[in-house]
Amino acid sequence: MSVLIFVDQTENHIKKSSFEVLTYGVKLAAQIGTTAEALVLGTVNDDLAALGKYGVTKVHQVANETLNHVDTQLYAKVIAEAATATAATVIVMSHNQTGKAIAARVSARLKAGLVTAAIALPDTSTSFTVKRAVFSGKAFANVSIATAIKVISLNPNSFHVSIGEGTAAVLALNVAVDTSKIIVKAVHKVSGEVPLTEADIVVSAGRGLKGPENWGMIEELAHELHAAKACSRPVADSDWRPHHEHVGQTGVQIAPNLYIAIGISGAIQHLAGVNRSKVIVVINKDPEAPFFKAADYGIVGDAFEVVPQLTAEIKKMHNS
Ligand SMILES: Cc1cc2nc3c(=O)[nH]c(=O)nc-3n(C[C@H](O)[C@H](O)[C@H](O)COP(=O)(O)OP(=O)(O)OC[C@H]3O[C@@H](n4cnc5c(N)ncnc54)[C@H](O)[C@@H]3O)c2cc1C
């Protein structure tokens, strides 16, 4: 009996969302009186023993290069087999792009109850009840899992990461990795950009910018902050910006530490994709813009005046 924490990687490095899941899994294991162990798929260049700092005692690795690329069916099969091999009773992963695609598959393979988008540790006093976000974070549901094996995916930015001391034992896990039905022939990446779903800081702009020719100041601010760029849906629909930058209910859903929204009204469909950001800064010339209600900090002003001044101040800070 143990809690198995799936530690997600990209380009041979552990994803930051995994650190939060590690903390969650370790606290959950302590709560139910068992051990927490991590599972890493593929080859990883980071020091896996250092994951002990998050409280796991063992890191199981299936170091097969086929697993360096996410193939949801193969991942689900390997994770389910790893869970069985390690006698895990709870499997925890992030509710990120990968987790969204594999959590249900893992639960089906293990005949396990599943709670996705969890936002808190389960209440295990009388049952195993997990709080999750529903309706794009507008409401909460408490879901009880009655099966012996349980799968939980954790909403990013729901849990504070705790780091301590410790070293984990890194163990090779012998799980058969079938030849995938999917063959990765090439990987095309948007070069030189911070990936939106992994970014700590996101600079986003909307129709208030009037046209694509005005995005230079957004790019400059994003560059200074080492931030990813995003936009509202009408901006992508009008081809001012590429569709992979569109955030919201029908676009990419993100949870950065800092989201800067410039010339975006704050429609509910936009907020649905960004309201899990830790800190929201809104720049809008209309003091009545709905986005200010969701903001931690607001600047009422013309973006064409505010943004260049903000960038200049940040540049000064970097140079001092
Ligand atoms: C089913 C459905 C799904 C949708 N999904 C999404 C989604 O995923 N993502 C999304 O974004 N939208 C989505 N929408 C659209 C959404 O309802 C809004 O229409 C959209 O978010 C508005 O985009 P905007 O804020 O950029 O533009 P506007 O609503 O036009 O707002 C522009 C804002 O810029 C401000 N402004 C203007 N000039 C300046 C200036 N010089 N300086 C500073 N501020 C200025 C204005 O005060 C205004 O608040 C969806 C709609 C539907 C019906």
Side-chain angles (χ1 to χ4, degrees):
M1 183 174 122
S2 65
V3 172
L4 187 67
I5 304 155
F6 169 54
V7 172
D8 205 0
Q9 62 126 322
T10 181
E11 295 185 337
N12 311 104
H13 290 289
I14 292 166
K15 281 190 188 170
K16 91 171 172 147
S17 51
S18 292
F19 301 124
E20 193 182 358
V21 183
L22 278 162
T23 304
Y24 181 88
V26 166
K27 294 211 162 150
L28 171 57
Q31 185 179 316
I32 59 174
T34 185
T35 53
E37 301 176 4
L39 172 67
V40 176
L41 304 187
T43 49
V44 173
N45 297 333
D46 302 326
D47 177 11
L48 292 180
L51 294 182
K53 283 190 298 190
Y54 298 92
V56 286
T57 49
K58 292 179 188 166
V59 178
H60 302 281
Q61 184 178 21
V62 185
N64 188 308
E65 287 194 353
T66 313
L67 300 169
N68 287 357
H69 297 288
V70 178
D71 170 340
T72 52
Q73 292 184 19
L74 192 56
Y75 261 45
K77 184 165 180 287
V78 172
I79 293 170
E81 283 179 20
T84 306
T86 58
T89 44
V90 186
I91 298 95
V92 178
M93 61 187 74
S94 174
H95 190 61
N96 59 10
Q97 306 275 67
T98 309
K100 281 178 193 170
I102 60 175
R105 288 189 162 100
V106 172
S107 86
R109 283 185 173 272
L110 294 170
K111 299 197 174 7
L114 164 71
V115 176
T116 58
I119 54 163
L121 282 168
D123 177 355
T124 50
S125 51
T126 51
S127 58
F128 194 102
T129 303
V130 192
K131 188 174 186 178
R132 68 180 297 256
V134 291
F135 301 123
S136 303
K138 286 265 157 229
F140 304 109
N142 291 312
V143 184
S144 293
I145 312 181
T147 49
I149 301 176
K150 300 157 179 74
V151 177
I152 301 174
S153 69
L154 178 71
N155 241 1
N157 268 352
S158 306
F159 219 71
H160 186 70
V161 176
S162 5
I163 308 178
E165 303 279 316
T167 309
V170 181
L171 309 166
L173 190 65
N174 197 9
V175 171
V177 179
D178 305 339
T179 313
S180 172
K181 289 181 190 146
I182 298 167
I183 300 160
V184 179
K185 291 195 169 167
V187 177
H188 297 284
K189 302 193 126 215
V190 183
S191 62
E193 293 206 6
V194 184
L196 192 49
T197 50
E198 290 298 311
D200 260 343
I201 306 177
V202 173
V203 175
S204 185
R207 212 151 40 180
L209 258 75
K210 321 283 184 232
E213 66 282 4
N214 295 323
W215 246 260
M217 65 179 187
I218 302 300
E219 278 168 0
E220 212 182 336
L221 178 59
H223 176 77
E224 282 307 314
L225 292 169
H226 194 59
K229 294 184 293 287
C231 67
S232 65
R233 177 171 156 172
V235 162
D237 284 348
S238 311
D239 278 338
W240 294 3
R241 297 299 300 170
H243 266 287
H244 66 253
E245 287 187 10
H246 153 204
V247 288
Q249 185 185 314
T250 47
V252 183
Q253 304 199 350
I254 55 171
N257 284 326
L258 174 61
Y259 182 72
I260 305 179
I262 303 164
I264 302 176
S265 57
I268 190 163
Q269 297 89 353
H270 184 88
L271 290 175
V274 303
N275 59 8
R276 284 186 291 109
S277 307
K278 225 170 230 170
V279 175
I280 296 180
V281 175
V282 169
I283 302 170
N284 197 304
K285 70 175 186 185
D286 174 9
E288 301 298 323
F291 220 147
F292 283 121
K293 291 206 179 89
D296 297 283
Y297 300 95
I299 302 173
V300 179
D302 186 334
F304 295 94
E305 288 169 21
V306 175
V307 174
Q309 283 181 41
L310 191 60
T311 309
E313 287 302 317
I314 293 165
K315 271 188 190 165
K316 264 194 226 162
M317 278 167 59
H318 286 170
N319 295 334
S320 64

